[in-house]
Amino acid sequence: SATGLAKAVALRHQAPIVCVPTTYSGSEMTPIWGLTGPDGKRTGRDPRAQPRAVLYDPALTVGLPAEVTGPSGMNALAHCAEALYAPGANPVSSLLAEEGARTLRRGLPAAVAEPADLSARTEALLGAFLAGAAMAAGVGVHHQLCHLLGGAYRLPHAELHAVLLPHVVGLVAPAAPEPVARLARALEADDAAAGLWELGRRLRAPAGLAELGLAEAELDRAAGLAADRVAQTPRPSGSSGVPGPAGAGGHPWPPGAAELRALLDDAWRGRRPSPA
């Protein structure tokens, strides 16, 4: 992306960035950078990578195709979801994340259906801004999986978020019931994971990893890699905001290779998540 490339240049050459975003990840509001190389994807935080100024103009986004609008918006929703249960979640970041998810849920379907609808495009950009601002709380297992699979298999970033997010939220829900319930309310859904999957269908986003080109034969290896990565990921914050030894019902954390293999199988086939 243009923003990601600019961050890489700023990081290396200490050049200030003025950002005019025309997609919906919200990355322009963060100091987070990512670089993909022969050894996979590396990410980090550095104040030099954060734009000095951000200019939002919805009129510049009306030419964004639906096949980019939908997955890009799901990327922003992933930032909202993870901010709610991230290790640094706090009352302010959680308000930003919940309102960001609510705003994206309103604006994105209309922006896909009617690309020239400036009201919908404005809501989508506002939701992206809120999502990026909420990321001060940090990220969790979903981003770890996306960075791992994207780097290892060269899968497209936004589309990967769109495919994995419903399944990862379903995995996290027992360990962080209150934050995931807040996400469900913002989506106006009885179940957050199923609500995200259904929203993805309305946004015409890919449903399965198979659509992104990942071979089914790679799922065992991917699950093993994921288990190693997730073992290093902080436990999701639950209703108290402070991680405990287990979530609701004694749900263990971190999930092992078997749980992650089942998640990847569902994501590969594009199945609708079962209610948590």
Side-chain angles (χ1 to χ4, degrees):
S1 71
T3 301
L5 176 60
K7 285 184 170 189
V9 172
L11 195 63
R12 177 166 295 185
H13 299 288
Q14 301 185 38
I17 307 170
V18 175
C19 187
V20 186
T22 56
T23 57
Y24 304 122
S25 75
S27 172
E28 67 278 358
M29 295 304 301
T30 79
I32 299 173
W33 56 267
L35 293 170
T36 301
D39 298 324
K41 186 166 186 174
R42 295 182 298 113
T43 62
R45 289 175 177 262
D46 192 303
R48 294 174 296 175
Q50 183 149 14
R52 301 285 182 88
V54 181
L55 307 176
Y56 290 104
D57 185 349
L60 296 178
T61 68
V62 297
L64 193 66
E67 60 268 23
V68 179
T69 296
S72 177
M74 293 294 288
N75 188 358
L77 274 167
H79 297 155
C80 294
E82 294 246 283
L84 287 167
Y85 57 74
N90 60 71
V92 174
S93 64
S94 294
L95 284 172
L96 291 169
E98 188 172 352
E99 184 58 24
R102 185 176 293 111
T103 305
L104 289 162
R105 188 262 307 158
R106 285 196 307 260
L108 288 171
V112 168
E114 297 289 342
D117 184 341
L118 280 182
S119 176
R121 293 292 188 178
T122 299
E123 285 208 296
L125 277 178
L126 174 59
F129 161 77
L130 292 167
M135 282 187 72
V139 295
V141 60
H142 171 77
H143 278 75
Q144 293 284 7
L145 289 177
C146 285
H147 294 161
L148 171 69
L149 296 177
Y153 297 104
R154 299 299 192 268
L155 301 178
H157 185 70
E159 289 82 353
L160 188 56
H161 276 286
V163 169
L164 287 182
L165 183 61
H167 303 284
V168 178
V169 167
L171 179 75
V172 170
E178 185 177 308
V180 174
R182 292 184 69 167
L183 177 61
R185 288 196 297 270
L187 297 172
E188 296 189 348
D190 295 330
D191 179 82
L196 286 166
W197 188 88
E198 290 165 359
L199 180 60
R201 308 292 70 72
R202 292 178 65 193
L203 299 180
R204 309 176 202 169
L209 293 172
E211 297 175 60
L212 305 186
L214 182 66
E216 186 176 11
E218 290 293 330
L219 294 183
D220 287 337
R221 174 175 176 266
L225 293 172
D228 291 340
R229 178 68 65 90
V230 172
Q232 306 168 31
T233 304
R235 189 178 291 113
S237 293
S239 58
S240 67
V242 179
H251 183 73
W253 195 268
E259 291 87 354
L260 292 167
R261 178 62 173 79
L263 180 153
L264 291 174
D265 188 70
D266 287 341
W268 190 83
R269 300 178 190 281
R271 292 190 180 111
R272 184 183 188 275
S274 299

